[in-house]
mmCIF file of all heavy atoms in Angstrom:
data_model
loop_
_atom_site.group_PDB
_atom_site.id
_atom_site.type_symbol
_atom_site.label_atom_id
_atom_site.label_comp_id
_atom_site.label_asym_id
_atom_site.label_seq_id
_atom_site.Cartn_x
_atom_site.Cartn_y
_atom_site.Cartn_z
ATOM 1 N N ALA A 1 0.831 -1.211 0.000
ATOM 2 C CA ALA A 1 0.000 0.000 0.000
ATOM 3 C C ALA A 1 0.864 1.259 0.000
ATOM 4 O O ALA A 1 1.976 1.275 0.545
ATOM 5 C CB ALA A 1 -0.914 0.004 1.217
ATOM 6 N N VAL A 2 0.351 2.298 -0.625
ATOM 7 C CA VAL A 2 1.004 3.608 -0.626
ATOM 8 C C VAL A 2 0.064 4.595 0.055
ATOM 9 O O VAL A 2 -1.054 4.816 -0.401
ATOM 10 C CB VAL A 2 1.323 4.082 -2.057
ATOM 11 C CG1 VAL A 2 1.960 5.469 -2.017
ATOM 12 C CG2 VAL A 2 2.252 3.097 -2.750
ATOM 13 N N HIS A 3 0.511 5.161 1.156
ATOM 14 C CA HIS A 3 -0.322 6.068 1.943
ATOM 15 C C HIS A 3 0.060 7.522 1.684
ATOM 16 O O HIS A 3 1.146 7.820 1.175
ATOM 17 C CB HIS A 3 -0.161 5.756 3.433
ATOM 18 C CG HIS A 3 -0.496 4.342 3.791
ATOM 19 N ND1 HIS A 3 -1.792 3.875 3.869
ATOM 20 C CD2 HIS A 3 0.312 3.277 4.091
ATOM 21 C CE1 HIS A 3 -1.784 2.594 4.214
ATOM 22 N NE2 HIS A 3 -0.519 2.209 4.350
ATOM 23 N N ALA A 4 -0.840 8.398 2.051
ATOM 24 C CA ALA A 4 -0.571 9.833 1.897
ATOM 25 C C ALA A 4 0.592 10.262 2.797
ATOM 26 O O ALA A 4 1.417 11.095 2.413
ATOM 27 C CB ALA A 4 -1.820 10.638 2.226
ATOM 28 N N ARG A 5 0.657 9.681 3.976
ATOM 29 C CA ARG A 5 1.760 9.988 4.889
ATOM 30 C C ARG A 5 2.961 9.110 4.534
ATOM 31 O O ARG A 5 2.815 7.891 4.343
ATOM 32 C CB ARG A 5 1.355 9.741 6.343
ATOM 33 C CG ARG A 5 0.209 10.590 6.836
ATOM 34 C CD ARG A 5 -0.059 10.337 8.310
ATOM 35 N NE ARG A 5 1.070 10.771 9.144
ATOM 36 C CZ ARG A 5 1.146 10.585 10.466
ATOM 37 N NH1 ARG A 5 0.158 9.946 11.099
ATOM 38 N NH2 ARG A 5 2.181 11.024 11.147
ATOM 39 N N HIS A 6 4.131 9.710 4.428
ATOM 40 C CA HIS A 6 5.312 8.912 4.114
ATOM 41 C C HIS A 6 6.516 9.416 4.899
ATOM 42 O O HIS A 6 6.633 10.596 5.213
ATOM 43 C CB HIS A 6 5.604 8.900 2.616
ATOM 44 C CG HIS A 6 5.973 10.245 2.033
ATOM 45 N ND1 HIS A 6 5.029 11.191 1.691
ATOM 46 C CD2 HIS A 6 7.180 10.791 1.751
ATOM 47 C CE1 HIS A 6 5.629 12.269 1.212
ATOM 48 N NE2 HIS A 6 6.930 12.055 1.231
ATOM 49 N N MET A 7 7.395 8.481 5.212
ATOM 50 C CA MET A 7 8.621 8.767 5.947
ATOM 51 C C MET A 7 9.761 7.995 5.307
ATOM 52 O O MET A 7 9.553 6.969 4.661
ATOM 53 C CB MET A 7 8.473 8.360 7.419
ATOM 54 C CG MET A 7 7.370 9.090 8.162
ATOM 55 S SD MET A 7 7.206 8.540 9.893
ATOM 56 C CE MET A 7 5.817 9.560 10.424
ATOM 57 N N LEU A 8 10.977 8.492 5.517
ATOM 58 C CA LEU A 8 12.172 7.810 5.040
ATOM 59 C C LEU A 8 12.733 6.920 6.141
ATOM 60 O O LEU A 8 12.492 7.159 7.325
ATOM 61 C CB LEU A 8 13.242 8.837 4.648
ATOM 62 C CG LEU A 8 13.045 9.579 3.331
ATOM 63 C CD1 LEU A 8 13.962 10.798 3.287
ATOM 64 C CD2 LEU A 8 13.333 8.665 2.147
ATOM 65 N N VAL A 9 13.477 5.911 5.751
ATOM 66 C CA VAL A 9 14.154 5.072 6.730
ATOM 67 C C VAL A 9 15.617 4.931 6.329
ATOM 68 O O VAL A 9 15.945 4.833 5.140
ATOM 69 C CB VAL A 9 13.504 3.670 6.846
ATOM 70 C CG1 VAL A 9 13.629 2.883 5.541
ATOM 71 C CG2 VAL A 9 14.088 2.885 8.020
ATOM 72 N N LEU A 10 16.489 4.976 7.305
ATOM 73 C CA LEU A 10 17.905 4.724 7.063
ATOM 74 C C LEU A 10 18.127 3.218 7.064
ATOM 75 O O LEU A 10 17.846 2.544 8.053
ATOM 76 C CB LEU A 10 18.753 5.377 8.162
ATOM 77 C CG LEU A 10 20.251 5.070 8.112
ATOM 78 C CD1 LEU A 10 20.908 5.799 6.942
ATOM 79 C CD2 LEU A 10 20.934 5.453 9.419
ATOM 80 N N ASP A 11 18.629 2.690 5.953
ATOM 81 C CA ASP A 11 18.891 1.253 5.875
ATOM 82 C C ASP A 11 20.105 0.858 6.711
ATOM 83 O O ASP A 11 20.135 -0.219 7.304
ATOM 84 C CB ASP A 11 19.110 0.831 4.416
ATOM 85 C CG ASP A 11 17.831 0.926 3.611
ATOM 86 O OD1 ASP A 11 16.762 0.603 4.149
ATOM 87 O OD2 ASP A 11 17.900 1.342 2.441
ATOM 88 N N GLY A 12 21.118 1.724 6.738
ATOM 89 C CA GLY A 12 22.325 1.416 7.489
ATOM 90 C C GLY A 12 23.290 0.555 6.710
ATOM 91 O O GLY A 12 23.067 0.237 5.539
ATOM 92 N N CYS A 13 24.377 0.161 7.374
ATOM 93 C CA CYS A 13 25.423 -0.585 6.673
ATOM 94 C C CYS A 13 25.420 -2.082 6.994
ATOM 95 O O CYS A 13 25.437 -2.912 6.088
ATOM 96 C CB CYS A 13 26.786 0.021 6.968
ATOM 97 S SG CYS A 13 27.072 0.468 8.688
ATOM 98 N N VAL A 14 25.369 -2.473 8.260
ATOM 99 C CA VAL A 14 25.405 -3.904 8.597
ATOM 100 C C VAL A 14 24.007 -4.489 8.791
ATOM 101 O O VAL A 14 23.807 -5.694 8.624
ATOM 102 C CB VAL A 14 26.247 -4.161 9.873
ATOM 103 C CG1 VAL A 14 27.656 -3.659 9.681
ATOM 104 C CG2 VAL A 14 25.616 -3.537 11.100
ATOM 105 N N GLN A 15 23.041 -3.657 9.121
ATOM 106 C CA GLN A 15 21.708 -4.177 9.437
ATOM 107 C C GLN A 15 21.023 -4.874 8.261
ATOM 108 O O GLN A 15 20.352 -5.897 8.464
ATOM 109 C CB GLN A 15 20.830 -3.045 9.983
ATOM 110 C CG GLN A 15 19.520 -3.534 10.584
ATOM 111 C CD GLN A 15 18.857 -2.457 11.448
ATOM 112 O OE1 GLN A 15 19.300 -2.182 12.554
ATOM 113 N NE2 GLN A 15 17.810 -1.846 10.924
ATOM 114 N N PRO A 16 21.148 -4.391 7.023
ATOM 115 C CA PRO A 16 20.456 -5.070 5.918
ATOM 116 C C PRO A 16 20.818 -6.535 5.759
ATOM 117 O O PRO A 16 19.977 -7.346 5.352
ATOM 118 C CB PRO A 16 20.868 -4.252 4.689
ATOM 119 C CG PRO A 16 21.148 -2.894 5.222
ATOM 120 C CD PRO A 16 21.775 -3.135 6.573
ATOM 121 N N SER A 17 22.058 -6.906 6.071
ATOM 122 C CA SER A 17 22.454 -8.305 5.919
ATOM 123 C C SER A 17 22.422 -9.071 7.229
ATOM 124 O O SER A 17 22.171 -10.279 7.234
ATOM 125 C CB SER A 17 23.863 -8.394 5.313
ATOM 126 O OG SER A 17 24.791 -7.667 6.096
ATOM 127 N N MET A 18 22.649 -8.394 8.347
ATOM 128 C CA MET A 18 22.714 -9.085 9.626
ATOM 129 C C MET A 18 21.364 -9.186 10.337
ATOM 130 O O MET A 18 21.131 -10.123 11.096
ATOM 131 C CB MET A 18 23.727 -8.398 10.541
ATOM 132 C CG MET A 18 25.151 -8.503 10.036
ATOM 133 S SD MET A 18 26.343 -7.880 11.245
ATOM 134 C CE MET A 18 27.898 -8.200 10.403
ATOM 135 N N ALA A 19 20.498 -8.223 10.103
ATOM 136 C CA ALA A 19 19.162 -8.247 10.723
ATOM 137 C C ALA A 19 18.148 -7.621 9.777
ATOM 138 O O ALA A 19 17.537 -6.587 10.086
ATOM 139 C CB ALA A 19 19.176 -7.513 12.063
ATOM 140 N N PRO A 20 17.927 -8.238 8.597
ATOM 141 C CA PRO A 20 17.050 -7.628 7.586
ATOM 142 C C PRO A 20 15.596 -7.519 8.010
ATOM 143 O O PRO A 20 14.835 -6.750 7.423
ATOM 144 C CB PRO A 20 17.208 -8.564 6.380
ATOM 145 C CG PRO A 20 17.620 -9.883 6.970
ATOM 146 C CD PRO A 20 18.479 -9.533 8.142
ATOM 147 N N ALA A 21 15.197 -8.283 9.026
ATOM 148 C CA ALA A 21 13.791 -8.254 9.443
ATOM 149 C C ALA A 21 13.408 -6.950 10.128
ATOM 150 O O ALA A 21 12.229 -6.581 10.153
ATOM 151 C CB ALA A 21 13.496 -9.429 10.380
ATOM 152 N N THR A 22 14.385 -6.237 10.672
ATOM 153 C CA THR A 22 14.061 -5.069 11.491
ATOM 154 C C THR A 22 13.342 -3.987 10.709
ATOM 155 O O THR A 22 12.251 -3.541 11.088
ATOM 156 C CB THR A 22 15.345 -4.500 12.136
ATOM 157 O OG1 THR A 22 15.952 -5.514 12.946
ATOM 158 C CG2 THR A 22 15.016 -3.301 13.003
ATOM 159 N N ASN A 23 13.943 -3.528 9.609
ATOM 160 C CA ASN A 23 13.310 -2.445 8.855
ATOM 161 C C ASN A 23 12.036 -2.899 8.148
ATOM 162 O O ASN A 23 11.108 -2.113 7.961
ATOM 163 C CB ASN A 23 14.292 -1.850 7.856
ATOM 164 C CG ASN A 23 15.211 -0.816 8.493
ATOM 165 O OD1 ASN A 23 15.082 -0.496 9.678
ATOM 166 N ND2 ASN A 23 16.142 -0.291 7.728
ATOM 167 N N VAL A 24 11.987 -4.168 7.755
ATOM 168 C CA VAL A 24 10.759 -4.684 7.149
ATOM 169 C C VAL A 24 9.638 -4.701 8.184
ATOM 170 O O VAL A 24 8.497 -4.340 7.889
ATOM 171 C CB VAL A 24 10.991 -6.090 6.558
ATOM 172 C CG1 VAL A 24 9.679 -6.675 6.030
ATOM 173 C CG2 VAL A 24 12.030 -6.035 5.445
ATOM 174 N N SER A 25 9.965 -5.087 9.405
ATOM 175 C CA SER A 25 8.968 -5.061 10.482
ATOM 176 C C SER A 25 8.499 -3.637 10.742
ATOM 177 O O SER A 25 7.296 -3.386 10.920
ATOM 178 C CB SER A 25 9.553 -5.650 11.765
ATOM 179 O OG SER A 25 9.708 -7.042 11.663
#
């Protein structure tokens, strides 16, 4: 879904591979 309200998220450097569930959650 695409909502009217939107925010950015910092993916970071180690988190995408070491804990990818965090930002998806």
Side-chain angles (χ1 to χ4, degrees):
V2 178
H3 303 285
R5 298 184 65 185
H6 65 279
M7 299 178 181
L8 284 165
V9 64
L10 174 72
D11 291 322
C13 43
V14 301
Q15 191 164 286
S17 56
M18 294 188 178
T22 301
N23 277 357
V24 175
S25 288

